[in-house]
Amino acid sequence: MNEMVAFTTPASAPAWKRWLVFSPLARIVIYAACFFAVGYPLFHLATALHLGGKDASPLERNLVGLVLEFVSILLVYVVAVRLIERRRVSELALRQLPTYGIAGLIAGFLLLSTMTLLLWLMGSYHVLSVNADAVWLPSLLGMGIATGIAEETIFRGVLYRISEEGLGTWGALAISALFFGGAHLNNPNATLWSAVAIAIEAGILLALVYHLTRSLWMVIGLHAAWNFSEGTIYGFAVSGFNVKGIIVPSVTGSDWVTGGKFGVEGSVVAVAVSACISAVLLAIAIRRKTIVPPSWVRKRNALS
């Protein structure tokens, strides 16, 4: 089971370094500080240079946002892991990008298509028209890929992965879900239920996908395709943000069923579908014996 843990504290490390550099909490704080230290001035520099501002086209604005997220989050993560953990960043291995990345995109599309189909069968989703002039590329770059890179690197690459090293899989799943749901509380049209729904469906599901694949490309692709399919293809709001989609729908029925103005993430249908998939993934993890016990249990077992 230890092979599931990407990093272990070097035996030769002095006590102060074990606590202030290598401990799970210390690394989470250090990585967060690195993201802020690079991202804050970069975004302000882009603003000062009038890159991606209000007067820019949607394509330019989202392209600039994608570059900034790539540099300030993904590249910073790679450099920080190499410097602090001193290991190959296998979760972002380029050889996995064509396979896991594409698999994630397909999975995200199929997941949202299944939710939409169920709402259509229930009489809550109606296609009014098709908007052939919908501008899809900015949405793909911004709300899709850029958001996928930022949120999955932070929540799965840092928060889940490092929490799992200390608290084990069960504790990391709980923390990942809690923080991921809480991070969406300030979104437009968010409610306590929508945050709980996102915690259950995406927080747990995406963490389990990462747990089984150990690939950030997989969850980045899945997250990107989820957002893109939800808004740009099927015309739902995406986590409370309105998106002009290729399909112009009429969504009727209780907000409990449809997700209302928050989007399909706030739907009990999305929660049910995601929970079923998560249950299957968890069963696979248990069968493969990949569930990581807390660090103190691993230490006790190593001594016995």
Side-chain angles (χ1 to χ4, degrees), residues 28 52 58 62 67 83 93 138 146-148 162 182 199 223 252 256-257 259-260 262 294-295:
I28 290 173
N62 284 279
V67 172
L83 291 176
T147 300
I162 298 178
H223 195 143
T252 59
W256 175 260
V257 175
F262 188 77
S295 60

Side-chain angles (χ1 to χ4, degrees), residues 4-267:
M4 299 299 294
V5 176
F7 173 78
T8 54
T9 302
S12 60
W16 70 267
K17 204 168 187 179
R18 287 174 174 269
W19 287 104
L20 297 180
V21 178
F22 294 139
S23 70
L25 180 58
R27 277 180 292 135
I28 290 173
V29 171
I30 290 170
Y31 290 160
C34 289
F35 295 148
F36 180 80
V38 175
Y40 187 79
L42 267 183
F43 277 87
H44 276 272
L45 178 62
T47 301
L49 295 175
H50 304 290
L51 298 174
K54 294 181 179 179
D55 297 331
S57 67
L59 179 58
E60 179 188 337
R61 193 160 53 246
N62 284 279
L63 183 59
V64 170
L66 173 59
V67 172
L68 291 175
E69 297 287 13
F70 180 82
V71 173
S72 64
I73 301 294
L74 203 66
L75 288 185
V76 168
Y77 175 80
V78 171
V79 172
V81 169
R82 294 285 292 180
L83 291 176
I84 296 171
E85 300 182 16
R86 297 189 177 277
R87 64 175 179 86
R88 184 171 57 89
V89 191
S90 57
E91 60 269 31
L92 284 171
L94 290 178
R95 69 178 184 279
Q96 295 180 351
L97 179 57
T99 51
Y100 278 126
I102 292 174
L105 291 172
I106 294 172
F109 171 72
L110 291 177
L111 188 58
L112 259 294
S113 297
T114 300
M115 296 172 186
T116 305
L117 175 61
L118 290 174
L119 288 173
W120 177 74
L121 291 173
M122 295 168 66
S124 293
Y125 183 85
H126 316 271
V127 177
L128 298 181
S129 63
V130 176
N131 180 15
D133 297 325
V135 181
W136 58 270
L137 185 56
S139 178
L140 175 64
L141 297 176
M143 192 168 286
I145 299 174
T147 300
I149 286 174
E151 294 190 0
E152 292 312 309
T153 303
I154 292 170
F155 286 101
R156 256 56 69 178
V158 175
L159 188 60
Y160 174 81
R161 177 181 67 81
I162 298 178
S163 295
E164 188 179 42
E165 292 173 11
L167 300 177
T169 301
W170 299 112
L173 284 172
I175 287 177
S176 174
L178 178 65
F179 277 87
F180 195 67
H184 290 78
L185 269 174
N186 290 326
N187 284 28
N189 303 305
T191 63
L192 181 60
W193 160 249
S194 68
V196 171
I198 282 187
I200 295 172
E201 65 200 25
I204 294 177
L205 174 62
L206 289 166
L208 283 170
V209 170
Y210 174 77
H211 172 86
L212 287 172
T213 63
R214 297 292 158 175
S215 171
L216 282 177
W217 297 124
M218 182 75 180
V219 287
I220 288 171
L222 198 159
H223 195 143
W226 175 309
N227 285 0
F228 182 77
S229 300
E230 182 179 18
T232 308
I233 296 180
Y234 294 117
F236 294 102
V238 180
S239 300
F241 294 95
N242 290 322
V243 179
K244 293 182 179 179
I246 296 172
I247 295 174
V248 180
S250 171
V251 182
T252 59
S254 167
D255 288 355
W256 175 260
V257 175
T258 65
K261 294 182 179 180
F262 188 77
V264 75
E265 293 117 316
S267 164

